[in-house]
């Protein structure tokens, strides 16, 4: 490494020390800023039912075309996340983060200019692609932090909180101010993230130099760690995605199922908060044992009749989801300090959910409810077993 690179790295480390000096709940100012930006990036996906309802009802597109617009946005987001590991070999992360948020805001503003169907497809694709780059940058920054599992726990909790509040308030706001208010609101709340992005990236500049010197090839342990996340998400999504038809088959009404789904959002929020505030000290193996127990409880509860057992199963399943993901992310971040593997986390999770729901529909029809529930649970537990084997007694976060 040249003297110039040495000085740049030293300066990056000095900035890191400055940004990491003040903390709240064990996270520095820069780390809380990463959480804020990451939550902002998923503000609209967190209220997806509201988005689909607005496009289908207020703009008159119908459910099918509204779903198509949403899927285009989601596919563009995945594409942006896929492109990030290539881009980060040539640009610093704070540049990609700032640019992603800037174009995301631009996409929101352009969305409100016209209700034309094809115009909305184009603007939502732009927003999704930019959001994918920004989200990948956030995952990469969280992986390079000294507290990856705490950051992801707080991020997941923030995402859940945005979903709960947004889905409760936005329909009334849109009814009064019109459909454009949804996208204008998304653009306005992104402004703080845009202001924080350069500062957040600066304390990671030394890490960006490592990325730029590295090849694109990922370590084998990092690929296996991504596999643990894929297995857990696929296993839990296999059951979660079909809880509504399972409830309907058991004769529960719409109101009862809606209450159970609301309970699930609270359970996931509690699981994430528990990690962010307290349980981050657990080893990955210890967390896997607790998570496996929660999944086993969900499987057992679903084998019993009665609405209370149904609610208990949904609570245990989603608690496990919120609780386990930060620990698996810690294992991933430890297996690849450059953050390149972590940047494709959203690609892995989205693929796992998509594949699981596609396969599970056929499984439910052909083999029945029990096979789906047990099979999904065992798949998730297999991911946790692999994480335990890979990361053993790794406890807490990086010093």
């Amino acid at each position: 490494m040249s003297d110039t690179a040495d000085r740049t790295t030293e300066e990056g480390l000095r900035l890191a020390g400055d940004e990491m000096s003040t903390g709240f709940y064990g996270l520095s100012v820069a780390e809380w800023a990463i959480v804020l930006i990451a939550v902002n990036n998923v503000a609209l996906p967190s209220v997806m039912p509201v988005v689909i309802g607005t496009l289908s009802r207020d703009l008159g597109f119908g459910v099918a075309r509204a779903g198509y617009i949403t899927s285009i946005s989601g596919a563009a987001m995945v594409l942006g996340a896929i492109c990030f590991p290539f881009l980060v070999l040539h640009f610093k992360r704070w540049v990609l983060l700032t640019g992603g948020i800037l174009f995301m805001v631009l996409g929101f503003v352009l969305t409100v200019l016209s209700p034309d169907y094809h115009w909305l497809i184009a603007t939502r694709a732009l927003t999704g692609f930019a959001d994918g780059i920004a989200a990948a940058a956030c995952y990469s920054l969280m992986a390079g932090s000294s507290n990856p599992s705490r950051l992801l726990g707080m991020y997941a909790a923030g995402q859940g909180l945005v979903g709960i509040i947004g889905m409760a308030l936005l329909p009334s706001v849109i009814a009064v101010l019109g459909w454009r208010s949804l996208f204008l609101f998304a653009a306005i709340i992104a402004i703080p993230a845009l202001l924080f992005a350069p500062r957040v990236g600066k304390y990671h500049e030394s890490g960006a130099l490592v990325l730029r010197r590295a090849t694109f090839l990922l370590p084998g342990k990092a690929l296996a760690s991504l596999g643990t996340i894929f297995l857990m998400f696929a296993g839990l999504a296999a059951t979660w995605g079909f809880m509504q038809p399972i409830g309907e088959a058991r004769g529960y009404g719409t109101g009862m199922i809606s209450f159970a789904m609301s309970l699930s959002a609270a359970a996931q929020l509690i699981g994430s908060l528990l990690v962010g505030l307290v349980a981050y000290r657990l080893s990955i193996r210890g967390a896997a044992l607790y998570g496996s127990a929660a999944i086993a409880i969900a499987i057992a509860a679903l084998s019993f009749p009665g609405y209370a057992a149904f609610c208990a199963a949904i609570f245990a399943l989603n608690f496990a989801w919120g609780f386990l993901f930060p620990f698996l992310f810690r294992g991933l971040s430890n297996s690849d300090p450059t953050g390149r593997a972590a940047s494709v986390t959203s690609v892995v999770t989205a693929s796992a959910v998509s594949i699981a729901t596609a396969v599970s529909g056929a499984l439910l029809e052909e083999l029945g409810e029990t096979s789906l529930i047990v099979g999904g649970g065992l798949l998730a537990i297999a991911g946790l077993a692999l994480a335990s084997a890979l990361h053993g007694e790794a406890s807490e976060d990086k010093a």
Side-chain angles (χ1 to χ4, degrees):
M1 188 188 298
S2 68
D3 291 340
T4 301
D6 283 331
R7 287 194 297 272
T8 305
T9 302
E10 183 179 344
E11 173 66 11
L13 293 173
R14 185 188 66 76
L15 285 166
D18 292 343
E19 293 292 331
M20 300 292 285
S21 60
T22 303
F24 178 68
Y25 276 116
L27 300 182
S28 70
V29 173
E31 287 172 330
W32 276 115
I34 294 172
V35 171
L36 182 149
I37 294 170
V39 170
N40 177 272
N41 287 344
V42 294
L44 222 54
S46 298
V47 293
M48 192 56 64
V50 177
V51 176
I52 293 176
T54 300
L55 294 175
S56 62
R57 182 186 61 253
D58 296 70
L59 291 174
F61 291 147
V63 175
R65 292 207 296 172
Y68 182 68
I69 292 175
T70 304
S71 66
I72 288 291
S73 177
M77 186 174 181
V78 169
L79 181 60
I82 291 173
C83 290
F84 178 84
F86 296 94
L87 295 172
V88 83
L89 297 175
H90 306 287
F91 301 97
K92 292 179 179 179
R93 277 175 284 188
W94 74 268
V95 173
L96 294 172
L97 180 59
T98 305
I101 297 171
L102 184 62
F103 278 94
M104 187 175 70
V105 172
L106 176 62
F108 287 140
V109 173
L110 290 174
T111 299
V112 308
L113 296 181
S114 171
D116 179 74
Y117 178 67
H118 295 96
W119 175 268
L120 285 177
I121 287 178
T123 58
R124 297 303 298 135
L126 169 64
T127 304
F129 183 77
D131 195 1
I133 291 176
C138 285
Y139 274 117
S140 178
L141 287 166
M142 285 191 285
S145 162
S146 60
N147 303 284
S149 60
R150 295 194 81 178
L151 257 69
L152 193 74
M154 290 300 187
Y155 155 68
Q159 181 181 7
L161 197 59
V162 167
I164 292 170
I165 296 173
M167 285 190 283
L169 298 181
L170 280 175
S172 299
V173 173
I174 294 168
V176 175
L177 300 179
W179 68 269
R180 288 180 171 85
S181 62
L182 172 64
F183 299 102
L184 284 174
F185 177 73
I188 291 170
I189 64 171
I191 292 174
L194 188 60
L195 297 176
F196 274 119
R199 182 181 180 185
V200 164
K202 284 180 182 177
Y203 92 89
H204 251 282
E205 283 188 8
S206 59
L209 286 174
V210 174
L211 284 172
R212 294 176 74 178
R213 290 195 303 272
T215 65
F216 181 69
L217 295 177
L218 296 177
K221 192 172 183 179
L223 292 172
S225 297
L226 286 170
T228 68
I229 294 174
F230 180 91
L231 289 173
M232 190 200 75
F233 267 74
L236 296 182
T239 302
W240 164 247
F242 294 89
M243 290 306 290
Q244 181 166 334
I246 288 173
E248 290 171 349
R250 295 185 178 193
Y252 304 138
T254 302
M256 297 174 73
I257 294 175
S258 295
F259 174 80
M261 295 301 173
S262 299
L263 189 66
S264 72
Q268 193 165 343
L269 179 62
I270 291 170
S272 300
L273 276 177
L274 185 62
V275 177
L277 297 177
V278 180
Y280 65 92
R281 300 179 188 277
L282 281 173
S283 68
I284 292 175
R285 182 169 295 164
L289 287 173
Y290 284 114
S292 297
I295 294 170
I297 290 171
I299 294 173
L302 283 173
S303 67
F304 287 95
Y307 181 65
F310 181 75
C311 288
I314 286 184
F315 187 93
L317 192 71
N318 282 271
F319 174 85
W321 209 326
F323 179 80
L324 289 168
F325 186 26
F327 290 102
L328 298 188
F329 184 77
R330 179 205 292 169
L332 175 62
S333 68
N334 289 343
S335 66
D336 180 23
T338 69
R340 286 171 296 136
S343 69
V344 296
T345 301
S346 57
V347 177
V348 172
T349 56
S351 300
V353 172
S354 298
I355 294 171
T357 51
V359 173
S360 297
L363 187 65
L364 182 62
E365 285 187 359
E366 296 296 327
L367 300 178
E369 176 185 307
T370 302
S371 297
L372 174 66
I373 294 166
V374 174
L378 291 178
L379 189 64
I381 291 173
L384 299 180
L386 177 58
S388 295
L390 285 171
H391 306 295
E393 294 297 329
S395 60
E396 227 169 317
D397 287 323
K398 294 172 279 187

